[in-house]
Amino acid sequence: MLTWAENIAKQIIERRPDKDEYVCAAGISPSGSIHIGNFRDIATSYFVVKALRSMGKKARLLFSWDEYDRLRKIPVNVSAVRDDMEQYVGKPYVDVPNPFGDGSYAEYFEKEFTDAVAAFGIDFDYRHQAEMYRSGKYTHLILEAIAKRKEIYDVLSRHRTQAATEEERNAYSPVSIYCDCCGKDTTKIISFNEENTVAEYECACGHHGTFDFRTNFNCKLNWKIDWPMRWLYEGVDFEPGGKDHATAHGSYDTSKDISKEIFGYDPPFFQGYEFIGIRGSTGKMSGSSGLNLTPATLLKIYQPEVILWLYAKTEPMKAFDFCFDDGILRQYGEFDRMLSKHLDGTAEGAIKDIMDACLIEGRTPYPVPMSLLAQMGSVVNFDIQLLETVLAKNGTPYSYEQFKDRLERAKYWLEVCAPDQVYHLRTWRNWEVWNTLTEEQKAEINLLYTNLKANDYTLDELNAMIYAVPIEVRQTEMTDKEKKSVQIPFFKNVYRLLLDREQGPRLYLFLDALDKKDYVELLNFTYPQTQEEVELDEKKNTPVEEEVEETVYGDPDPVADFKPTVTLEQFDALDLRVCKVLKCQEIRKARNNYKLTLFDGKDKRVIVSSLKDYYKPEQLEGRKIIVIANLESARITGVTSEGMLLAATNNACGCKVIFVDDSVPEGTCLH
C-alpha cells in the first residue's frame, strides 16, 4: 500500500486499536462549481481508507456536503446567468434557488460534482448537513455548546492575537440563527434564558424574535465548533485539510482543543495537504469560455486513473500540477511506464503500491501513448479506421478498443488546450517559404512532387524515396553524416510547405496516411502564383486587431480633505520599500485577491492584494512596486500577508498600482 497512506493508517489504528469501523472524513461546501483542488480532500481520505482495508480493518469514507453554510458571494458563472443573486447572500445554500434551472443552488453544484466523481469508482457515505441540522440530530450537542459558550470563547481567545474582554465573553454565542423572517444569518443573539435553551435575537432585516433550540433547528454552529461537534457525532478517526488549516492556531489547532475540552472527544488524526497547481491553462480554456477547472473538465483530458495516480504518488504535503500544456503528455508517459509494469507483472515496491491504489475496478486502461494519439490522430482528423491503419504501419498496431478511452481526450486536449499543435494541411501553396529556398532545395521539392505524382508507393518504398531525394538531386557520393546534413533541412522544408511548421510526425507515415490528392499539389510550383493565392497570403499576413473590452469608469471621486500634519519622524516610521513581483497567483476561494510573492532585496515575502478585477498576473509579474514592509502581518483569505502595496483608487480610474522604474534596485527605501 502507499507508504504515506499506510503510515497514517497505522497511527489511526494505534490510537483506537479496538474500534470496529474506522471513519475517514472529507467535506466540501457547494459554494459553486467544485474546483479540482478540493478533490485532494477526497483522494487523501480515500487512500487512507484503502490502506486500512488492506490491513484487514473495516473503514468507510464519510463525505459531508456543507450545504447548510451561508451563501457568501456569487461566483462569476452564476452572476453571468442571473444578476439578482445578491439578494440571497446570507441564506444557506440549500435555501438558495438554482440559477440554472429547477431545484436548489446546493443540489445543482452537488450533482455537477457527484456525476463527475462517479468515474473514480469511490464509495462515499454521504452526509447532507442541512438535513442533519434540521432533523434535530445535532440538537443535544448544540445545547451543550451553548451551555459552555464562555469556555468555548476562552479556547478561541487562546488562538487569537487580539485581546479578549469580559464584555465580549459574556456576549459570545457559538451558534448562528437563520432568521424566521428573511431566512438569513444576519442575526445577533441578544440574550439566552437561564437554562440556555431559548435565545432572543434581532436581525438586520428588522425582525426581532425568540428561538427555542429544543424545537427550532434552523440554526448552525460556527465553523470551529461545528467541525469538532461532527467529529464526535460521527466518530471520525481521520480528516485531512488544506495546509492553511494546519498552521499554528489555525482551524485544526483551535478545533482540536474544542473537541477535547468542550465535547470530550479525542480529535481525529489530521493530515495537512499542499494545494494543487495548474500549468499551461491556455488556448480556449479560460474563465471567459465558461470552462471551470472542475473534475468534469479535468476528465475531458485525463483518464480517472491518471488523476488518482497523480494524487497517489505525491505525498500530501508536496505540490504537483495538472497540466494543460504538453506536460500532460509527459505525465501520461510516466503513468504508462508504471502501468506496463503492472500489466506484465513486473511492478514491485512503490510502483506496485501506486498502481494498486489508482486503478479502478471494472476498468482496464491500456498504455497507448497519448502523444502518439494526439500526433497521429491530428494527421488523420481522428478518423478511427485510418488511425488504426497508420498506427499499424508505424509498428504500433493498437486497436480502437485499446485507445478509445484516450482518443477523445487527446482530441479535446489538442483542440481546446493546445490548438497550436494541431496539424492542419495548408489549402494553398506556400510561396513565402518557396521564395526563401535555394535552387538545390527547390529541385528537391520538384523531384518529390514528380515522384509522388507519377508513382504509388508501399510504405517502405515511400520511406526510401523520401530519404533518397536530396541525395539524388546532388548526384555525388556522400558520407552518412553528409546525407543527414541535407536530409534534415529537406524534411523541414516539406513540413513548412505542407503544414506551416518545421516539424511534424514521421514524414513517410504522414504522407502515407493522407490522401495524396489532398497535398501533392501543395508541392507543385511549376506555374506562377495565382491572384487568389496572393489575396490569401495578404489576408493571412494582415494582423487581426484583438478586441479589448474597454472599462468604463465614472466621474472622479470628490477630493478628500487633507489629513492632519505628521512629523518627519512619524513618516519615517513607515518602511516603504521597492519590491519586485516574482509571482502572482490566484487564491483558492478568493474572488478578489491575489497572492503576490515578492523579492524585497533581502528575501522573499508574500502579500495579499485585491487586484484581481484590475490586473492579470502577467501584468504584475516582473514589475517593481512599493510596499509598506513593516506593517503587522495579517491573515487574509487563508494566506499570511506580510505588508501592503501602494496603489491609487478612484472612481475615475479604478485601482492603479504605483509601479517603480526598473532601474531602481529591490530593497531601496523611499524617503
Side-chain angles (χ1 to χ4, degrees):
M1 190 55 207
L2 298 173
T3 302
W4 64 263
E6 188 175 30
N7 288 340
I8 292 172
K10 286 177 180 176
Q11 292 180 71
I12 291 170
I13 294 169
E14 285 173 6
R15 287 156 61 97
R16 294 170 182 149
D18 301 323
K19 197 170 183 191
D20 292 332
E21 181 181 57
Y22 294 98
V23 179
C24 299
I28 294 175
S29 175
S31 56
S33 293
I34 310 301
H35 192 279
I36 188 60
N38 297 110
F39 193 75
R40 195 159 203 175
D41 216 52
I42 296 168
T44 305
S45 275
Y46 171 62
F47 291 130
V48 173
V49 166
K50 293 189 79 170
L52 287 164
R53 290 173 180 171
S54 73
M55 297 174 183
K57 301 297 182 181
K58 192 176 179 182
R60 62 188 167 96
L61 177 52
L62 176 73
F63 184 91
S64 286
W65 278 117
D66 294 331
E67 61 191 7
Y68 207 42
D69 290 354
R70 73 191 300 270
L71 176 66
R72 296 180 182 278
K73 59 187 178 183
I74 313 302
V76 174
N77 65 324
V78 171
S79 58
V81 298
R82 185 168 169 178
D83 61 7
D84 65 342
M85 294 297 289
E86 289 288 341
Q87 65 179 302
Y88 301 109
V89 170
K91 287 192 172 188
Y93 293 115
V94 73
D95 292 343
V96 176
N98 174 15
F100 303 99
D102 297 331
S104 75
Y105 187 101
E107 287 170 340
Y108 177 83
F109 289 112
E110 287 170 10
K111 186 175 187 304
E112 181 184 68
F113 185 77
T114 54
D115 285 352
V117 299
F120 298 96
I122 300 174
D123 182 26
F124 294 103
D125 181 14
Y126 283 110
R127 289 288 182 278
H128 292 264
Q129 290 306 315
E131 188 275 329
M132 295 298 290
Y133 267 98
R134 286 177 168 170
S135 65
K137 292 176 181 175
Y138 295 151
T139 297
H140 64 293
L141 294 171
I142 293 172
L143 289 169
E144 183 177 354
I146 293 171
K148 298 178 179 177
R149 62 186 184 277
K150 292 183 180 180
E151 291 94 320
I152 291 174
Y153 180 85
D154 293 340
V155 175
L156 295 173
S157 296
R158 293 204 307 263
H159 294 278
R160 291 192 293 225
T161 54
Q162 62 264 42
T165 68
E166 194 61 29
E167 183 182 3
E168 286 178 349
R169 186 172 186 265
N170 291 330
Y172 173 73
S173 170
V175 64
S176 295
I177 293 171
Y178 284 112
C179 177
D180 289 334
C181 185
C182 70
K184 298 183 179 182
D185 69 345
T186 51
T187 57
K188 179 182 179 182
I189 293 177
I190 301 169
S191 64
F192 289 98
N193 67 355
E194 289 185 7
E195 293 79 24
N196 293 308
T197 56
V198 178
E200 182 183 354
Y201 73 92
E202 60 184 13
C203 181
C205 73
H207 177 69
H208 286 70
T210 57
F211 192 96
D212 190 335
F213 292 96
R214 296 167 299 184
T215 57
N216 192 335
F217 310 134
N218 205 27
C219 62
K220 184 180 183 298
L221 288 172
N222 300 336
W223 160 239
K224 292 178 184 178
I225 300 94
D226 170 86
W227 200 15
M229 179 274 291
R230 286 193 266 155
W231 291 340
L232 168 62
Y233 186 90
E234 299 286 357
V236 176
D237 300 287
F238 171 72
E239 184 161 5
K243 64 178 184 179
D244 51 338
H245 291 308
T247 57
H249 303 296
S251 298
Y252 178 73
D253 236 11
T254 306
S255 294
K256 70 180 175 62
D257 285 353
I258 291 173
S259 185
K260 287 185 289 189
E261 297 176 32
I262 305 302
F263 295 116
Y265 183 74
D266 192 22
F269 186 88
F270 179 81
Q271 173 62 59
Y273 55 76
E274 183 58 80
F275 298 127
I276 305 301
I278 301 294
R279 201 178 80 187
S281 182
T282 58
K284 299 177 187 175
M285 187 160 291
S286 65
S288 61
S289 69
L291 288 169
N292 296 307
L293 297 182
T294 62
T297 298
L298 209 61
L299 284 165
K300 292 179 185 291
I301 58 174
Y302 281 96
Q303 286 178 292
E305 292 85 359
V306 181
I307 294 175
L308 289 176
W309 170 79
L310 283 165
Y311 284 110
K313 77 185 188 75
T314 312
E315 292 185 9
M317 283 306 290
K318 291 184 179 178
F320 68 86
D321 293 331
F322 283 111
C323 299
F324 294 94
D325 57 11
D326 56 9
I328 191 174
L329 303 181
R330 291 189 288 275
Q331 288 176 333
Y332 266 101
E334 186 183 349
F335 172 81
D336 286 349
R337 287 189 288 275
M338 291 191 185
L339 177 60
S340 296
K341 290 184 177 182
H342 170 81
L343 293 174
D344 66 20
T346 61
E348 296 179 346
I351 292 177
K352 184 178 186 306
D353 293 342
I354 291 167
M355 297 314 296
D356 286 343
C358 72
L359 293 180
I360 299 167
E361 188 175 350
R363 286 176 50 87
T364 307
Y366 290 93
V368 182
M370 191 68 160
S371 56
L372 185 66
L373 289 176
Q375 186 182 78
M376 301 311 296
S378 171
V379 169
V380 299
N381 199 27
F382 292 93
D383 182 288
I384 293 167
Q385 284 188 317
L386 270 178
L387 184 55
E388 283 187 322
T389 302
V390 170
L391 292 174
K393 289 178 178 179
N394 188 46
T396 51
Y398 297 113
S399 68
Y400 177 60
E401 279 301 310
Q402 292 173 313
F403 64 68
K404 68 179 181 180
D405 197 42
R406 289 188 175 182
L407 186 62
E408 279 303 312
R409 290 180 166 93
K411 183 180 180 182
Y412 186 90
W413 175 73
L414 274 175
E415 293 177 349
V416 177
C417 307
D420 58 311
Q421 298 196 34
V422 178
Y423 296 115
H424 289 300
L425 269 177
R426 286 179 58 90
T427 55
W428 72 96
R429 292 174 297 170
N430 195 334
W431 285 92
E432 187 178 356
V433 169
W434 175 260
N435 291 330
T436 66
L437 302 183
T438 66
E439 291 306 312
E440 277 186 324
Q441 289 172 333
K442 288 180 179 180
E444 292 169 355
I445 301 302
N446 286 333
L447 179 57
L448 176 64
Y449 168 73
T450 302
N451 289 345
L452 290 170
K453 186 77 172 175
N455 303 290
D456 291 321
Y457 295 96
T458 65
L459 190 62
D460 289 340
E461 289 170 346
L462 179 61
N463 190 31
M465 183 273 288
I466 291 170
Y467 274 91
V469 162
I471 315 302
E472 189 174 338
V473 165
R474 285 160 181 76
Q475 296 184 346
T476 58
E477 290 292 326
M478 304 176 77
T479 65
D480 289 342
K481 186 176 180 180
E482 289 170 333
K483 288 178 183 178
K484 187 174 287 189
S485 69
V486 294
Q487 287 165 339
I488 291 174
F490 168 61
F491 297 153
K492 185 183 293 185
N493 289 333
V494 176
Y495 288 128
R496 293 168 71 201
L497 290 169
L498 297 180
L499 300 172
D500 273 331
R501 303 174 60 151
E502 293 195 345
Q503 58 184 6
R506 285 197 235 172
L507 188 55
Y508 76 104
L509 289 174
F510 174 59
L511 297 181
D512 186 68
L514 297 173
D515 190 327
K516 191 192 299 185
K517 66 177 174 28
D518 290 336
Y519 69 82
V520 71
E521 290 304 316
L522 295 174
L523 302 171
N524 180 11
F525 291 86
T526 59
Y527 60 95
Q529 186 176 19
T530 66
Q531 182 59 35
E532 183 185 12
E533 288 176 326
V534 171
E535 291 172 358
L536 287 168
D537 276 345
E538 288 176 351
K539 184 177 179 181
K540 179 187 174 188
N541 293 325
T542 301
V544 178
E545 289 189 15
E546 187 177 343
E547 281 190 34
V548 178
E549 188 176 334
E550 186 177 352
T551 303
V552 179
Y553 295 107
D555 295 328
D557 294 329
V559 177
D561 292 336
F562 292 101
K563 296 177 181 179
T565 302
V566 298
T567 65
L568 186 59
E569 288 76 13
Q570 287 173 317
F571 174 77
D572 278 342
L574 289 177
D575 190 349
L576 300 175
R577 298 270 178 159
V578 174
C579 298
K580 184 173 184 177
V581 181
L582 302 177
K583 189 184 293 185
C584 175
Q585 299 167 286
E586 293 193 13
I587 301 172
R588 190 169 65 114
K589 294 187 178 181
R591 198 185 80 77
N592 298 314
N593 293 337
Y594 281 138
K595 173 185 173 183
L596 302 178
T597 303
L598 313 174
F599 178 61
D600 61 15
K602 291 188 174 182
D603 207 344
K604 289 182 181 179
R605 71 167 60 215
V606 170
I607 67 169
V608 176
S609 192
S610 54
L611 297 173
K612 208 169 178 181
D613 291 337
Y614 305 100
Y615 292 90
K616 295 179 180 178
E618 58 267 25
Q619 293 175 301
L620 297 169
E621 290 177 344
R623 303 292 298 273
K624 291 183 180 178
I625 61 176
I626 301 170
V627 171
I628 304 176
N630 62 339
L631 193 67
E632 188 178 72
S633 297
R635 293 283 291 177
I636 304 174
T637 54
V639 177
T640 300
S641 182
E642 305 165 304
M644 180 185 293
L645 60 78
L646 297 193
T649 56
N650 195 295
N651 190 46
C653 64
C655 178
K656 298 296 181 186
V657 173
I658 298 173
F659 293 111
V660 178
D661 190 280
D662 198 49
S663 63
V664 181
E666 296 94 332
T668 300
C669 293
L670 273 71
H671 299 287

